Amino acid sequence: MSEQKNIQNLKSLSIDHDSPVPLHLQVEKILRDMINDPEYQNGKFLPKEVDLSKRLGISRNTIRQATNRLVQEKLLTRKKGVGTKVAKKQVETKLSNWVSFSQEMHAQGINFRNYEIKVSKIKADAEISEQLEVKEGQELFKLERLRGLDNGPFVYFVSYFHPRVGITGNEDFERHLYDILEHEYHTIPVLSREQISAILANKFLAVKLGVPINSAILQRKRVVYDPGNRPIEYNIGYYRADQFTYSIDIKR
Amino acid sequence: MSEQKNIQNLKSLSIDHDSPVPLHLQVEKILRDMINDPEYQNGKFLPKEVDLSKRLGISRNTIRQATNRLVQEKLLTRKKGVGTKVAKKQVETKLSNWVSFSQEMHAQGINFRNYEIKVSKIKADAEISEQLEVKEGQELFKLERLRGLDNGPFVYFVSYFHPRVGITGNEDFERHLYDILEHEYHTIPVLSREQISAILANKFLAVKLGVPINSAILQRKRVVYDPGNRPIEYNIGYYRADQFTYSIDIKR
DNA sequence: GTTTGCATAATGTCTGAACAAAAGAACATA
DNA sequence: TATGTTCTTTTGTTCAGACATTATGCAAAC
């Protein structure tokens, strides 16, 4: 009925039937944008499936393929016979345990700084491909950050983002990373699968972190997943072991 | 081909087209049973979709509706052009539900050995006193264990026990430590507060672990608490970083 | 006024079919 | 030996349509 206007706004243009990107993923992207739109955040119903289908020129089945996932991520709620709308925001995480580095620091009232920030586009090698579950050679964004306190950097971070997330490279990476993901991209990390090991500083790390070669470095690799168990980010952190200890409480 | 036998075993009977339970849910149930079947846990491929479809008398789409979810739960893995099989249980060193070292190893079917076991009585120094919340100079038991696989030790453990526990020094430390605590001393560990860092091997560790001096060592200090938040054990583990990675899943 | 029942609107389930894309095997070529 | 080339197998994607199920509003019946 009154949805017409918005449906027009749906950049149907952005659906590219010739793109190698499957339609259901393109639809998912569009839906995520809609979820972002304040218009739909006030409990207003999304266009109904049949309309979406017609307007985008995509079968209803394919539309549902996309919405199914978003429903699973609890971004959308559907009710039979009624409609689909954006889910009420979950009670903003009182994430006791894991938060991003800057949030950790922030919470402790510690002044952290970014010494270097670099964004680049790279092709996935074997390791990245395995961790992010993408094909080898897949293009994706790499984010490098050298961070620390006023007295100097103490961690060097390298992040790789799954293309699905839609990082453009123009984000303001001074902000909390997971803030960006959550609010700009509606990608909510709920699981972090971490592997921690010890290595010796090679020349590169030694220079970056300002330590002698062969110093002890705490290496933390982690893959961060969304509620649908899909990988979002593969992150490797190299910490000066003399200035950083990884702490965690494990309950059973 | 050779799947025929199993497909017969698929109680196709259990599909009830008149049931109010949607077919895709019934299929999911059947698949979950298959996943539990040891037959399929050894990397054997599940019947292909088209066969399942035929045998169960259900369209391939509906089959996929069910498998999609199981793939999402990472119970199944599919590969285009190849097939679908039960996902490898990824129990590397998952401390998600944390257990003791030997239990971890045991669960993975790995043969671990004790290379050295030594019990002694010592007086608490400043560090131990702080961690175990006892007075400095307090007498308590120290347990040292050098452990590893058949190819040699890869971790050196030092444990200090709070006197409250009542360790006598005559326990059989070949048993699972937390078994002893739980069954002999009715002391149940429920919280582990861990600090992980990287250090370089000193001469002592180098000899014990059979690595060169200044190799990378992963150091894990942890205090284990009982349900009343009272410290039970202070444990320091020195791991050969080339043979051990600390893995953990953090959910929020 | 309250209930009952019916029409309507929306999502849920299911089908059969077609073609695309990836992996692997078999084979051929340089 | 190494490298393409082609074929087969199996999952991945997409479609169009049918019918089921649930919620809601409205109208008729009590």
Side-chain angles (χ1 to χ4, degrees):
Chain A
M1 27 162 74
S2 68
E3 308 291 349
Q4 305 303 12
K5 176 175 61 74
N6 300 297
I7 297 174
Q8 292 301 355
N9 292 348
L10 284 187
K11 25 184 175 177
S12 353
L13 302 172
S14 65
I15 288 280
D16 178 1
H17 279 267
D18 298 325
S19 159
V21 178
L23 296 182
H24 63 87
L25 285 181
Q26 296 187 45
V27 173
E28 182 183 330
K29 193 87 204 307
I30 291 180
L31 287 172
R32 279 185 196 275
D33 286 346
M34 282 205 246
I35 289 168
N36 212 4
D37 190 337
E39 177 116 23
Y40 289 111
Q41 306 222 347
N42 299 358
K44 193 175 150 196
F45 286 101
L46 296 196
K48 41 198 177 207
E49 297 177 351
V50 185
D51 281 1
L52 268 182
S53 169
K54 275 211 180 64
R55 297 291 173 164
L56 294 177
I58 288 183
S59 90
R60 187 174 157 229
N61 272 337
T62 304
I63 303 282
R64 283 182 66 79
Q65 219 178 326
T67 47
N68 279 338
R69 279 192 300 266
L70 297 174
V71 167
Q72 209 147 16
E73 289 189 27
K74 299 200 192 298
L75 290 174
L76 296 180
T77 57
R78 289 189 292 211
K79 212 155 40 167
K80 199 188 281 191
V82 181
T84 305
K85 57 167 121 174
V86 177
K88 288 259 174 305
K89 281 229 189 312
Q90 298 284 357
V91 199
E92 193 69 28
T93 56
K94 57 177 165 213
L95 56 155
S96 46
N97 258 337
W98 71 284
V99 283
S100 76
F101 171 78
S102 52
Q103 283 167 326
E104 280 171 31
M105 296 294 116
H106 193 66
Q108 294 170 44
I110 296 175
N111 256 348
F112 74 91
R113 289 178 47 189
N114 283 305
Y115 283 85
E116 292 177 17
I117 294 188
K118 180 183 166 200
V119 184
S120 55
K121 214 166 182 181
I122 56 110
K123 290 191 198 299
D125 63 17
E127 181 183 356
I128 298 172
S129 133
E130 185 188 342
Q131 299 298 333
L132 282 185
E133 298 170 20
V134 298
K135 280 190 304 239
E136 237 179 287
Q138 167 72 253
E139 277 214 333
L140 39 76
F141 278 101
K142 173 183 186 179
L143 171 63
E144 294 165 89
R145 289 175 298 174
L146 184 62
R147 320 183 80 178
L149 310 183
D150 291 337
N151 61 351
F154 74 86
V155 59
Y156 179 65
F157 276 122
V158 184
S159 291
Y160 302 95
F161 297 96
H162 194 290
R164 180 188 350 97
V165 178
I167 295 286
T168 65
N170 298 321
E171 291 78 5
D172 172 15
F173 288 113
E174 291 284 351
R175 289 177 53 197
H176 296 323
L177 182 52
Y178 294 157
D179 255 19
I180 298 178
L181 291 179
E182 194 158 332
H183 296 119
E184 307 300 322
Y185 295 106
H186 294 282
T187 297
I188 304 176
V190 295
L191 170 68
S192 177
R193 181 157 289 171
E194 318 212 337
Q195 295 201 321
I196 294 145
S197 188
I199 61 173
L200 302 182
N202 58 20
K203 185 163 181 188
F204 177 79
L205 285 176
V207 170
K208 287 278 186 204
L209 295 174
V211 295
I213 291 183
N214 287 335
S215 302
I217 300 288
L218 190 71
Q219 176 191 253
R220 166 164 110 168
K221 296 182 172 185
R222 60 174 170 176
V223 182
V224 172
Y225 296 85
D226 73 11
N229 265 327
R230 297 183 301 176
I232 297 173
E233 177 208 9
Y234 178 38
N235 174 283
I236 310 176
Y238 302 94
Y239 299 83
R240 282 182 64 156
D242 59 341
Q243 291 189 4
F244 184 82
T245 300
Y246 182 86
S247 301
I248 189 171
D249 282 359
I250 306 179
K251 292 177 267 295
R252 80 162 182 187
Chain B
M1 29 163 80
S2 68
E3 308 290 350
Q4 307 301 13
K5 177 174 63 71
N6 300 297
I7 297 174
Q8 293 299 356
N9 291 349
L10 283 188
K11 26 187 175 173
S12 352
L13 302 172
S14 66
I15 289 280
D16 178 2
H17 279 265
D18 298 325
S19 159
V21 177
L23 296 182
H24 65 87
L25 286 181
Q26 296 186 46
V27 173
E28 183 181 329
K29 186 92 202 309
I30 291 179
L31 287 172
R32 280 186 195 277
D33 286 345
M34 284 204 247
I35 289 170
N36 284 331
D37 190 338
E39 176 116 22
Y40 289 110
Q41 306 223 343
N42 298 2
K44 193 176 148 197
F45 284 100
L46 295 196
K48 39 196 178 209
E49 296 177 351
V50 184
D51 281 1
L52 267 182
S53 169
K54 275 211 181 66
R55 296 292 172 164
L56 294 178
I58 288 182
S59 91
R60 185 175 158 228
N61 272 337
T62 304
I63 304 282
R64 282 183 65 82
Q65 217 178 328
T67 47
N68 279 338
R69 280 192 300 266
L70 297 174
V71 167
Q72 247 206 181
E73 290 185 30
K74 300 211 190 284
L75 290 174
L76 296 179
T77 59
R78 291 188 290 210
K79 212 154 36 163
K80 203 187 281 191
V82 181
T84 304
K85 56 168 120 174
V86 177
K88 284 196 302 285
K89 288 221 197 319
Q90 15 120 359
V91 267
E92 298 156 8
T93 315
K94 198 72 68 47
L95 302 186
S96 29
N97 9 328
W98 67 283
V99 283
S100 76
F101 171 78
S102 53
Q103 283 167 327
E104 280 170 33
M105 296 293 119
H106 192 66
Q108 295 171 50
I110 295 176
N111 258 348
F112 75 91
R113 290 177 45 187
N114 284 305
Y115 282 85
E116 291 176 19
I117 294 189
K118 179 181 164 199
V119 185
S120 55
K121 215 166 182 179
I122 56 108
K123 290 188 198 302
D125 63 16
E127 181 182 358
I128 299 172
S129 131
E130 184 189 343
Q131 300 299 334
L132 283 185
E133 299 170 18
V134 297
K135 282 195 299 252
E136 238 179 287
Q138 168 72 253
E139 278 214 331
L140 40 74
F141 278 101
K142 173 183 186 179
L143 170 63
E144 292 164 271
R145 289 173 298 175
L146 183 62
R147 320 183 79 178
L149 310 182
D150 291 336
N151 60 351
F154 73 85
V155 59
Y156 178 66
F157 275 123
V158 183
S159 291
Y160 303 95
F161 297 96
H162 194 289
R164 178 187 352 95
V165 178
I167 295 286
T168 66
N170 298 320
E171 290 80 4
D172 173 14
F173 288 112
E174 289 287 349
R175 289 176 54 197
H176 295 325
L177 183 53
Y178 294 157
D179 255 19
I180 299 178
L181 291 179
E182 194 158 334
H183 295 117
E184 308 299 322
Y185 296 105
H186 301 288
T187 298
I188 303 176
V190 295
L191 170 68
S192 179
R193 180 156 289 170
E194 321 213 335
Q195 294 202 320
I196 294 144
S197 188
I199 61 173
L200 302 181
N202 57 21
K203 185 161 182 189
F204 176 80
L205 285 176
V207 171
K208 287 280 187 204
L209 295 174
V211 294
I213 290 183
N214 286 334
S215 301
I217 300 289
L218 191 71
Q219 176 191 255
R220 164 167 124 177
K221 295 182 174 187
R222 61 173 170 176
V223 181
V224 171
Y225 296 85
D226 73 10
N229 266 325
R230 299 181 302 177
I232 296 173
E233 178 209 9
Y234 178 39
N235 175 284
I236 309 176
Y238 302 94
Y239 298 84
R240 282 183 63 155
D242 58 342
Q243 292 189 4
F244 183 83
T245 299
Y246 182 88
S247 300
I248 188 169
D249 281 1
I250 305 178
K251 290 178 267 292
R252 79 163 183 186

